Amino acid sequence: MKQLKLGLFENVAANVGGTVTWRHEDDQRHRFDDLRYWRDLGEVLEDAGFDFLFLGDAWGWAEIDGVRPPVATQESLDLPRLDPVVVASALLSTTRNLGLVVTGSVLVEPPYAFVRRMATLDHLSGGRLGWNIVTTGTAETAVRAFGMDMVAHDERYAMAEEFLEVAYAYWEGAWEPDALTRDKRGRFADPAKVHPVEHAGRFFRSQGYGNAPYSPQGTPVLFQAGASTAGRRLAGRHGEAVFIGSGPAADLRRHASAVRAEAVAAGRAASDVQVMAAVSCVVGASPGDARRRHASVLRCQTPEATVASYAMFTGIDLSAHPPGTPMADLRTELSRTQLERFAGRTVGDVLDAWRTHGVGAQPIVGTAQEVADEICALAEGADLDGVLLSPVLQPTSTLEFVEEVLPLLRARGVLADGYRDGETLRERLTGSGSPVLPRTHPAAAHRHPRPGASP
Ligand code: FMN
């Protein structure tokens, strides 16, 4: 069995992934705005040898037919939420090895400012930055806040393609890696190695010089999680670590090979994409103890919060449809994944499933041994390169995993014993031996001298 990469999924908010857990006595996410909470979590992850902390993000909020349901605020389903980039920066000085992966939307902000922010984090972290490219789950409300018109689902992916072109032009092409000489008796930078960027496309225009010089990884490690046809295409073309959500191993295996096939179709190697799935667990001293603990989490959910939470991701009010309605009858321009993953099921089934795990993975509930067995079976069955732990309760579930499950996975050789060789997140995650993207990646076409150009 492959040795798995390990990340942790979190959001800078009081709840994560569409379920309500902040009320639970063992949950600390209500401290999402407390620096100490984040630093403690970063230390736990670094000590345990996690490859990265992944901070999800969204800009929008829940609405049902244009009205924000009070339950969304009462239960903190969506807001308040803080900026993951700032939280990641706060962890730079308290971690040395942990990768920091931040979510950034291609929909609401033009590339130029975003590119500098990412490069800054990559410089200051010594090449530990990853970017989770999202077209934005809660697009319909987010665009209003930014004074924009709604962009349809597949158009958002076309925007993502173009956003990436602009970003690569600045990250890879604006400053050559050796442009800065910092020679006190000579020059600071070599003008021959600093290039203007010209981009005029359908969605973005940008002309100028890059603010930030070439960073340790050039382009941050590219994470992606889109599950629709357009999403998989983007993942296959650009993604280096791709999340394929959760579900039965056979479904995940199909999804994983579809993403790898997209990579090959784009001229990359199947192994250029690390395919990862989300896992969640509730660990108990016995199976009965684990079930009791899981029941205590489920008691925090209410039917109103479940309906509002599903609407937040899809814009669909499930309470307006009889429970027997096939999900295939419903449509969305928001997250298609959250509709398509329930193909063949009814509205009633989905309300039930959403109450137990929201957008995330159905938790594995059992003893540490059982959880380790299931993770191994899933990873092997789906041919995964890694897993993204989505803790049910924070930090309780993370600590349980670290103390009880991690040693079992290490003993089986499924997880590396500490950090892998390499200074940068890319080297550790991909094992490529290089901190920058390979020549087969579309970003590399923006480097100087341009491939095929005379020297
Ligand atoms: N979408 C976001 O807008 N923000 C996130 O932080 C985010 N994190 C995700 C993490 C994981 C593990 C997964 C599986 C998905 C995540 N998504 C997030 C959703 C995807 O980026 C994508 O928008 C969603 O799967 C819908 O895909 P589609 O538009 O291709 O249907």
Side-chain angles (χ1 to χ4, degrees):
M1 192 176 154
K2 282 184 202 167
Q3 208 171 57
L4 299 173
K5 317 294 176 347
L6 178 64
L8 185 105
F9 179 70
E10 243 327 313
N11 273 246
V12 193
N15 287 302
V16 170
T19 55
V20 175
T21 49
W22 71 273
R23 283 180 191 285
H24 198 285
E25 59 183 0
D26 295 331
D27 191 74
Q28 290 284 311
R29 286 195 179 102
H30 60 277
R31 294 174 55 213
F32 70 98
D33 53 351
D34 176 348
L35 181 59
R36 194 66 254 163
Y37 164 80
W38 289 105
R39 292 200 158 173
D40 288 349
L41 182 63
E43 276 166 31
V44 167
L45 300 181
E46 171 116 345
D47 290 348
F50 273 70
D51 290 299
F52 60 87
L53 166 64
F54 174 104
L55 294 174
D57 194 24
W59 285 96
W61 54 88
E63 276 189 5
I64 295 181
D65 297 329
V67 179
R68 179 167 161 74
V71 68
T73 308
Q74 282 157 15
E75 297 291 356
S76 190
L77 264 187
D78 43 9
L79 307 174
R81 153 194 322 129
L82 298 181
D83 190 329
V85 174
V86 180
V87 172
S89 337
L91 300 185
L92 293 179
S93 58
T94 53
T95 56
R96 283 172 48 85
N97 299 297
L98 185 67
L100 299 164
V101 182
V102 295
T103 297
S105 169
V106 299
L107 178 70
V108 294
E109 183 185 26
Y112 194 72
F114 179 78
V115 158
R116 184 180 73 169
R117 209 175 311 125
M118 293 296 102
T120 304
L121 269 181
D122 200 45
H123 277 290
L124 298 185
S125 67
R128 290 191 281 141
L129 181 69
W131 169 31
N132 175 38
I133 310 161
V134 293
T135 52
T136 304
T138 51
E140 209 153 42
T141 47
V143 289
R144 289 207 327 259
F146 281 84
M148 299 165 53
D149 293 328
M150 177 60 174
V151 182
H153 181 274
D154 286 6
E155 279 289 278
R156 294 203 296 276
Y157 278 104
M159 263 180 108
E161 277 288 344
E162 199 183 316
F163 190 110
L164 284 164
E165 282 302 305
V166 183
Y168 295 155
Y170 282 107
W171 283 328
E172 297 288 342
W175 292 76
E176 293 186 35
D178 57 351
L180 293 196
T181 44
R182 307 181 209 241
D183 176 359
K184 293 226 184 234
R185 283 181 302 246
R187 57 195 177 181
F188 189 80
D190 179 353
K193 295 186 173 175
V194 183
H195 309 280
V197 167
E198 287 274 357
H199 178 91
R202 259 180 78 206
F203 302 101
F204 304 108
R205 276 188 303 157
S206 183
Q207 191 281 318
Y209 289 92
N211 269 220
Y214 203 90
S215 71
Q217 300 182 112
T219 296
V221 180
L222 300 168
F223 285 69
Q224 220 276 325
S228 59
T229 308
R232 283 180 200 183
R233 195 159 301 141
L234 187 87
R237 233 172 96 69
H238 301 274
E240 300 178 81
V242 173
F243 298 123
I244 52 171
S246 56
D251 293 355
L252 292 183
R253 179 176 272 269
R254 266 194 300 280
H255 191 157
S257 53
V259 171
R260 292 188 181 114
E262 288 287 356
V264 172
R268 304 171 67 205
S271 58
D272 284 353
V273 181
Q274 305 286 312
V275 179
M276 306 183 72
V279 294
S280 217
C281 52
V282 179
V283 185
S286 65
D289 179 40
R291 279 197 299 275
R292 269 191 302 281
R293 304 184 72 194
H294 188 217
S296 73
V297 174
L298 293 181
R299 279 196 293 277
C300 298
Q301 319 306 320
T302 63
E304 299 74 38
T306 301
V307 167
S309 163
Y310 190 77
M312 175 165 77
F313 287 92
T314 60
I316 298 171
D317 175 9
L318 290 179
S319 68
H321 301 275
T325 310
M327 290 302 285
D329 290 358
L330 309 180
R331 296 280 170 274
T332 181
E333 279 301 330
L334 297 181
S335 173
R336 291 221 178 122
T337 307
Q338 298 310 329
L339 197 55
E340 287 164 6
R341 72 188 270 218
F342 297 114
R345 316 268 293 275
T346 64
V347 163
D349 297 336
V350 174
L351 284 171
D352 232 31
W354 204 265
R355 188 178 81 93
T356 56
H357 54 85
V359 72
Q362 169 81 45
I364 305 167
V365 180
T367 62
Q369 198 74 42
E370 287 169 336
V371 169
D373 287 346
E374 273 209 43
I375 291 177
C376 290
L378 184 76
E380 207 158 22
D383 190 18
L384 300 177
D385 301 303
V387 289
L388 181 70
L389 180 69
S390 289
V392 175
L393 304 172
Q394 192 66 289
T396 308
S397 307
T398 304
L399 293 171
E400 278 168 9
F401 181 86
V402 166
E403 285 159 17
E404 299 176 44
V405 182
L406 206 70
L408 299 177
L409 295 173
R410 289 223 162 100
R412 296 180 194 188
V414 175
L415 287 178
D417 207 2
Y419 285 99
R420 294 176 186 81
D421 287 345
E423 293 287 311
T424 63
L425 176 60
R426 177 166 289 117
E427 286 162 282
R428 293 196 182 124
L429 208 58
T430 66
S432 67
S434 166
V436 300
L437 279 163
R439 282 208 310 270
T440 46
H441 192 278
H446 294 271
R447 290 182 189 145
H448 288 269
R450 301 222 187 271
S454 49

